[in-house]
Amino acid sequence: MKKKRPNYFLSLLSMKCPHCRKGPMYRDRNPFHWRFSRIFNMYDHCPVCHQKFELETGFWFGTGYVSYALAVAFSVFNLIWYWLIFNISWKDNSVFIWLGVNGFILLIFQPWLMRISRVIYLYFFVYYDEDAEKLN
């Protein structure tokens, strides 16, 4: 009987290893800490399949592009819901209120956005292997 393949998007959103989609990438599941040093508290290797997460020195510098794209998409989403609810206009300076609200929301979600950008970036380079658990 063939095992069911773990869902790609659920594995990505739950921040699982891209190689086996079972092992966690981060030691602590909660990205919102008072100590910022714990936001990127990652395993060096997957606890399940032993996939190395930092593929080369400086690998995580590319996550800046992913994080930027996520922040822009998040801002567009905030603009749409804010416009639908409050009607943005240049005449009453509600655009500046939206900018403040958007900046505040981005600041709150920034730890999660930084983590998920690392996960998305790693998923570009490491592919799923059904036999990843059996190899180790």
Side-chain angles (χ1 to χ4, degrees), residues 81-98:
W81 74 259
Y82 194 87
W83 184 40
L84 290 174
I85 293 173
F86 298 111
N87 252 350
I88 294 179
S89 170
W90 285 104
K91 295 175 184 171
D92 60 357
N93 293 329
S94 59
V95 172
F96 299 113
I97 297 171
W98 169 78

Side-chain angles (χ1 to χ4, degrees), residues 35-52:
R35 293 177 49 207
F36 292 122
S37 62
R38 296 187 64 188
I39 292 173
F40 291 129
N41 194 3
M42 292 181 71
Y43 292 106
D44 292 330
H45 295 80
C46 175
V48 176
C49 69
H50 303 291
Q51 168 67 41
K52 187 176 180 183

